[in-house]
Amino acid sequence: MSSNPSSVHSDSNTESPTAKIHTRPWAATLILTGGILLLVLGMALSISFGAADIQLGVVWKAVFDFNPDLTPHQIIWEIRLPRVLGGAMVGACFAVAGAIMQGMTRNPLADSGLLGLNAGAGFALAICFAFFPGMPYMYIIMYSFLGAGLGVLLVYGFGAASRSGLTPLRLVLAGAAVSAMLSALSEGIALYFRIGQDLAFWTAGGVAGTKWSHLQVMFPWVLGALIVGLIISRSITLLSLGEDIAVGLGQRTGLIKLLGLIVVLILAGTAVSVVGAVGFVGLIIPHLTRKLVGVDYRWIIPCSAVMGSLLLVFSDLAARMINPPYETPIGALVALIGVPFFLYLARKERRSL
């Protein structure tokens, strides 16, 4: 008889880590279905609005019955459609990268912009423009990956150079310092080699220059990274509960962290190579998603991708509506939301920092 209570007690202890995983599948399903419908509507509105306003009916015909002899159809296919698709793809990249970083590090302030990835990729772009003008976009993306990796190495190297270890506050401070250093180097290269105009677009942030050739190169990288992120999503959920719990449940945490870091580098590097220095997307969206769907990354990752796409598509639309026919940089619009949100999180987490 004495064995029964002990076995029950053992079972309850075994189940206790996973019992911490609170999730709302119904909310996630609603976000995915409703978000995709809203994303399609937002993309249609974004395509129709611009220097030459185009009716939604014309957009429909141009997408499904393209006529190269019609000027509105040419505007839609050659300029606006790749721009909107690029914005949606970039938003998903930043959001999923931030979600994976926050899950792996258990750091609520983790974001590709705050931790040096964006600045590192921008530094690599400055080198490309200065020393290798006219480089094919495929190689520009590769340099962006390397630059993002350099930013991560510097941030973690400086942040860990302390007896007390790598705390969330030290990580953010190291990220700010490294980002400032790499941004200054990028600006110095731009001034010396007179490539300021080439870098101005990436500094401000925007998707106006996105072309079909960019999307063709981006898509396989982004799709592969998102698939790997979904495959390791359950392991990231366990890591977010604590590394000891993940190891106790049989997870190979070193391999998961390596795969997660590769996914983040690919997503952040690809996004920066297209849209430039747009921060805070990976900070805002994962937090909002966790509030809505819970802490299971099997739902957080796809929902973050949809919500990140929504944020960038509607931000791009707003950027063209504020002061037409001129465009407001997307990075500035997102920062108006992101900076107060960052200060709120920093204040909320001040005890743990």
Side-chain angles (χ1 to χ4, degrees):
M1 296 295 293
S2 61
S3 60
N4 291 335
S6 62
S7 63
V8 172
H9 179 69
S10 175
D11 292 341
S12 64
N13 286 340
T14 302
E15 296 175 357
S16 59
T18 55
K20 297 179 180 179
I21 303 177
H22 303 291
T23 184
R24 304 182 188 92
W26 61 269
T29 303
L30 183 62
I31 288 173
L32 291 175
T33 54
I36 291 174
L37 292 175
L38 186 60
L39 180 61
V40 172
L41 175 61
M43 293 172 69
L45 291 174
S46 186
I47 292 172
S48 67
F49 182 83
D53 289 338
I54 301 173
Q55 295 181 352
L56 290 176
V58 178
V59 175
W60 177 272
K61 290 182 180 179
V63 172
F64 295 100
D65 187 18
F66 176 66
N67 186 349
D69 296 328
L70 298 178
T71 301
H73 286 209
Q74 293 178 359
I75 293 173
I76 291 170
W77 266 99
E78 299 300 326
I79 300 175
R80 295 189 181 177
L81 189 56
R83 171 179 183 154
V84 170
L85 292 174
M89 204 178 299
V90 164
C93 287
F94 279 133
V96 173
I100 292 175
M101 290 175 69
Q102 291 174 16
M104 289 195 307
T105 63
R106 304 186 68 195
N107 184 352
L109 302 178
D111 168 65
S112 61
L114 295 175
L115 299 186
L117 276 79
N118 293 1
F123 175 66
L125 289 174
I127 293 176
C128 288
F129 294 145
F131 296 100
F132 310 104
M135 175 182 288
Y137 184 67
M138 177 66 184
Y139 296 104
I140 289 179
I141 282 189
M142 298 299 295
Y143 270 88
S144 295
F145 297 161
L146 295 175
L150 173 64
V152 170
L153 290 176
L154 291 175
V155 168
Y156 275 84
F158 289 137
S162 173
R163 294 180 180 179
S164 58
L166 190 63
T167 63
L169 177 59
R170 187 169 288 108
L171 191 63
V172 171
L173 292 176
V178 169
S179 295
M181 178 187 71
L182 292 176
S183 297
L185 290 174
S186 300
E187 292 175 6
I189 292 173
L191 290 173
Y192 186 81
F193 291 95
R194 299 180 180 179
I195 56 170
Q197 263 190 330
D198 296 328
L199 280 181
F201 174 77
W202 275 270
T203 302
V207 291
T210 307
K211 301 177 181 178
W212 284 112
S213 58
H214 296 166
L215 299 181
Q216 290 174 356
V217 176
M218 284 176 61
F219 184 74
W221 290 100
V222 173
L223 180 62
L226 291 177
I227 290 174
V228 174
L230 288 172
I231 291 173
I232 64 174
S233 59
R234 180 179 179 275
S235 299
I236 295 175
T237 301
L238 298 178
L239 270 176
S240 69
L241 301 177
E243 189 161 353
D244 292 339
I245 293 176
V247 172
L249 293 174
Q251 298 297 311
R252 300 173 62 183
T253 57
L255 176 61
I256 297 303
K257 288 182 178 180
L258 176 61
L259 290 174
L261 180 59
I262 292 173
V263 169
V264 168
L265 291 179
I266 291 175
L267 293 176
T270 303
V272 173
S273 70
V274 174
V275 76
V278 176
F280 299 108
V281 177
L283 180 71
I284 299 170
I285 297 300
H287 276 276
L288 181 59
T289 304
R290 278 194 297 271
K291 289 288 186 183
L292 295 173
V293 307
V295 298
D296 191 342
Y297 277 78
R298 289 174 293 184
W299 291 112
I300 289 175
I301 289 177
C303 289
S304 293
V306 172
M307 294 178 68
S309 297
L310 280 170
L311 177 60
L312 256 293
V313 167
F314 279 97
S315 295
D316 181 46
L317 179 60
R320 286 177 279 160
M321 294 178 65
I322 291 176
N323 186 27
Y326 305 103
E327 294 190 15
T328 304
I330 294 179
L333 292 181
V334 178
L336 288 176
I337 306 171
V339 171
F341 191 82
F342 171 75
L343 295 175
Y344 163 75
L345 284 179
R347 179 179 177 84
K348 182 180 178 181
E349 299 291 335
R350 65 188 183 277
R351 293 181 180 178
S352 60
L353 295 176

